Amino acid sequence: MSALKILVIPGSCRTGSLNAKLAAATAHELAQAGADVTRISLADFPLPIYDGDLQAKSGVPKHAVNLKRMIGVHHGVLIVTPEHNSSVPALVKNAIDWVSRVQDAHETRGQVFRERVFAIAAASGGRLGGSRALAALRLILSACHATVIPNQLALSFAEQAYDDMDHLKHPADLEALRALVRQLIDLSQRMM
C-alpha cells in the first residue's frame, strides 16, 4: 500500500497568520502519525476572482488547474481557514470556486472533491475560534459533494495557544488537534 498523502492548505497568506501557524502544527502532528504531508500556500496559486464570463472567454486559469491536480494527488486535505465577517475569507472561497470548475478529460466536474476526505480547522484571537467560518466552509465543501470529517478544530484565543516552540500548550487544544488528525487519517485510509 502506498503512503497516505495529506495536503495542508492554510487559508491565509498573511505574515504571522494564526491559521498558518495552526496549519504548521497540524502538519507536524500528521507527519508524527505517519502521513506524507505537503503544506502549500495559496499565494503560490494566484487566481482572479471567479467570473463565469472570464471562464467562458479564457478558460480556467492554469493555477486553478495546478491546485486541483495538487489536491488530486493526495488522499486527504486539511483546510485551515481564518474567519472574516463570520464566514470564510475570499481567498479560500475563490480557490474552491475555481477548483470546482476544473475538469480533466477523464473526469466529471468536481470529482476531485468527491474522491478524497477533507478536514477543517480555524484559529482566531476570539472566543469562538473561527467556528462560524468552519460552519460556512463545511457547507461550501458539502455543496461540492466532499466528504468532510465530523471532527473540526476551532482554536480560540490563538495568540496565547502556543509555547515558544510554536506547539500547542493547552492539553485540551492538543487533544482536539490529535482527534482531528486521527479521524482524517482513518477516513482517508479507508478511501485509498
Side-chain angles (χ1 to χ4, degrees):
M1 181 184 270
S2 62
L4 179 70
K5 296 179 73 168
I6 303 291
L7 180 64
V8 176
I9 305 173
S12 175
C13 301
R14 186 176 54 81
T15 301
S17 164
L18 297 172
N19 288 278
K21 189 182 276 195
L22 181 57
T26 309
H28 175 76
E29 287 295 324
L30 284 160
Q32 293 287 73
D36 179 4
V37 181
T38 304
R39 186 166 39 115
I40 63 170
S41 171
L42 290 176
D44 295 329
F45 300 88
L47 294 166
I49 296 296
Y50 178 75
D51 178 339
D53 289 340
L54 176 64
Q55 181 183 354
K57 179 181 174 188
S58 306
V60 176
K62 68 176 179 155
H63 290 299
V65 173
N66 293 340
L67 180 56
K68 180 260 176 192
R69 290 183 179 155
M70 175 67 75
I71 292 169
V73 298
H74 291 82
H75 304 103
V77 178
L78 168 68
I79 300 174
V80 185
T81 186
E83 183 174 284
H84 292 178
N85 297 317
S86 301
S87 191
V88 296
L91 179 67
V92 173
K93 178 69 166 75
N94 193 54
I96 293 169
D97 286 346
W98 274 116
V99 167
S100 73
R101 268 66 177 181
V102 179
Q103 181 178 350
D104 287 325
H106 61 283
E107 298 179 323
T108 58
R109 194 174 122 193
Q111 186 171 333
V112 73
F113 290 102
R114 292 188 300 276
E115 293 184 343
R116 54 218 16 89
V117 176
F118 286 78
I120 57 176
S124 168
R127 178 176 44 86
L128 298 178
S131 59
R132 294 169 296 198
L134 291 176
L137 182 55
R138 184 176 295 277
L139 182 63
I140 292 163
L141 290 170
S142 295
C144 294
H145 304 286
T147 298
V148 184
I149 68 170
N151 277 348
Q152 63 184 31
L153 175 59
L155 184 64
S156 303
F157 308 112
E159 291 100 344
Q160 295 93 34
Y162 297 92
D163 63 19
D164 293 339
M165 301 294 291
D166 282 342
H167 297 116
L168 291 174
K169 64 182 180 182
H170 303 297
D173 293 338
L174 187 56
E175 182 48 42
L177 175 64
R178 288 180 174 158
L180 177 119
V181 163
R182 283 191 303 270
Q183 193 169 68
L184 177 57
I185 287 174
D186 181 51
L187 291 177
S188 296
Q189 286 174 330
R190 290 186 206 176
M191 289 187 68
M192 284 177 71

